[in-house]
Amino acid sequence: MIKITADSTCDLSPELLAKYDISLAPLHVLINEEDYLDGVNITPKDIFHYVSVENKSCSTAAINTYEYEQFFKPYTNQFEAIIHISLGSEFSSCYQNACLAAQNFENIIVINSQNLSTGSGLLVLEAAELAAQGYTAKEIEARILALVPEIEASFVIDKMDYLKRGGRCSSLEAFGATLLKIKPSIEVTHGKMEVGKKYRGQFASCLEKYVKDRLVNRTDIDLSRIFITHPDCPDELVEQVKTMIQRQMQFDEILVTNAGCTVSTHCGPSTLGILFKRTIK
């Protein structure tokens, strides 16, 4: 009787959450002075409307300790243990706040995913599958901690408008990128987000190069599962990426999921990433 929980930033689909009975703690989304909860009373489409149409500012904020306590409390008597997988500690204070909240209970384990989006989601699914197979909380914790450094998460961003709004690049950088049709890749490395390779050209052709860069001539990839994660890319573009992946490697399953409010707030609608596990050394 192990309960798996996670921050809303894990970006798993409603179907996957229901299948494994995974519960999410929602981060805050701030639109001007109004406070919303990720996936509860605001969606990425709402964010794109507020930013693009109403020209409002948008940011995200961590779950506080009290909110985590209230989130954990109902499960502490229902389950033998709760394993909570948080947004990476370098991206937010969620992990620290969850750890503080967990100190008030005897059966909560908090794991720092050192990742975001479905980079965290891969760990959450792995934990849920292990729990369903009857592993103990300590066994699950050990296996997930071993897997944390083997998650490969990256995205390609079509336009840098949202990065500029969030102060993550200058107006000059954004203008130059637009002028030269540069599409930067963002990679999670050692728990931090860094700019990787910069692609040039139309978004679709950049994604083709990106998929090849991530997958070709690799022998260290776990072929059990790969995510295609995006906030609001056209279906045909997502299908093209899926076909590109299938040409390079035969994964057991290719899961397509929409990025939640956090990725959407910072990266904008035309962002797409492939996220997968490397084989544990």
Side-chain angles (χ1 to χ4, degrees), residues 19-75:
K19 179 179 179 179
Y20 293 102
D21 190 29
I22 298 163
S23 298
L24 300 184
L27 271 76
H28 294 266
V29 179
L30 307 175
I31 307 292
N32 286 2
E33 300 301 317
E34 293 188 59
D35 191 344
Y36 298 86
L37 293 176
D38 180 10
V40 177
N41 55 1
I42 191 168
T43 67
K45 286 188 182 294
D46 296 326
I47 289 171
F48 305 144
H49 175 81
Y50 286 132
V51 173
S52 302
V53 179
E54 299 188 22
N55 200 33
K56 292 182 176 180
S57 63
C58 181
S59 60
T60 57
I63 304 156
N64 65 44
T65 302
Y66 174 77
E67 289 169 325
Y68 273 121
E69 288 177 2
Q70 296 305 302
F71 173 71
F72 291 142
K73 194 172 182 179
Y75 306 122

Side-chain angles (χ1 to χ4, degrees), residues 170-182:
S170 69
S171 297
L172 186 61
E173 288 172 323
F175 175 75
T178 302
L179 193 66
L180 299 173
K181 295 185 178 179
I182 292 172

Side-chain angles (χ1 to χ4, degrees), residues 14 45 93 100 114 125 150 166 181 203 211 228 230-231 250 271:
K45 286 188 182 294
S93 60
L100 288 171
Q114 296 185 38
L125 278 186
E150 305 306 333
K181 295 185 178 179
F203 192 41
V211 170
I228 302 172
H230 67 97
Q250 295 302 308
T271 300

Side-chain angles (χ1 to χ4, degrees), residues 222-252:
D222 180 334
L223 296 177
S224 61
R225 174 179 293 143
I226 186 171
F227 273 102
I228 302 172
T229 302
H230 67 97
D232 196 27
C233 290
D235 291 343
E236 58 270 23
L237 181 61
V238 175
E239 282 302 313
Q240 286 174 27
V241 172
K242 189 173 182 179
T243 300
M244 294 172 202
I245 292 171
Q246 290 169 330
R247 284 180 188 151
Q248 304 303 332
M249 287 194 172
Q250 295 302 308
F251 285 90
D252 294 340

Side-chain angles (χ1 to χ4, degrees), residues 28-209:
H28 294 266
V29 179
L30 307 175
I31 307 292
N32 286 2
E33 300 301 317
E34 293 188 59
D35 191 344
Y36 298 86
L37 293 176
D38 180 10
V40 177
N41 55 1
I42 191 168
T43 67
K45 286 188 182 294
D46 296 326
I47 289 171
F48 305 144
H49 175 81
Y50 286 132
V51 173
S52 302
V53 179
E54 299 188 22
N55 200 33
K56 292 182 176 180
S57 63
C58 181
S59 60
T60 57
I63 304 156
N64 65 44
T65 302
Y66 174 77
E67 289 169 325
Y68 273 121
E69 288 177 2
Q70 296 305 302
F71 173 71
F72 291 142
K73 194 172 182 179
Y75 306 122
T76 54
N77 294 324
Q78 298 178 40
F79 295 90
E80 177 187 326
I82 300 152
I83 296 177
H84 182 79
I85 298 174
S86 80
L87 174 63
S89 60
E90 292 290 337
F91 306 117
S92 165
S93 60
C94 283
Y95 172 67
Q96 291 86 343
N97 294 346
C99 288
L100 288 171
Q103 291 175 8
N104 297 312
F105 305 96
E106 295 181 351
N107 59 343
I108 298 176
I109 296 170
V110 181
I111 295 176
N112 180 3
S113 73
Q114 296 185 38
N115 224 303
L116 46 69
S117 190
T118 44
S120 298
L122 284 159
L123 300 173
V124 176
L125 278 186
E126 189 84 11
E129 289 175 340
L130 292 171
Q133 293 166 29
Y135 285 85
T136 68
K138 287 297 180 185
E139 288 171 335
I140 296 171
E141 180 186 21
R143 284 176 174 249
I144 297 304
L145 288 175
L147 186 57
V148 165
E150 305 306 333
I151 299 297
E152 193 160 313
S154 60
F155 290 87
V156 175
I157 299 174
D158 184 20
K159 297 179 181 177
M160 296 175 69
D161 311 30
Y162 281 70
L163 288 176
K164 182 185 73 175
R165 285 175 178 269
R168 285 168 172 77
C169 75
S170 69
S171 297
L172 186 61
E173 288 172 323
F175 175 75
T178 302
L179 193 66
L180 299 173
K181 295 185 178 179
I182 292 172
K183 322 293 183 187
S185 64
I186 304 296
E187 302 175 357
V188 178
T189 307
H190 304 301
K192 297 180 180 180
M193 195 161 61
E194 298 178 350
V195 177
K197 189 168 183 179
K198 295 178 181 178
Y199 298 93
R200 189 170 177 181
Q202 297 299 319
F203 192 41
S205 63
C206 290
L207 288 175
E208 184 172 4
K209 297 170 192 171

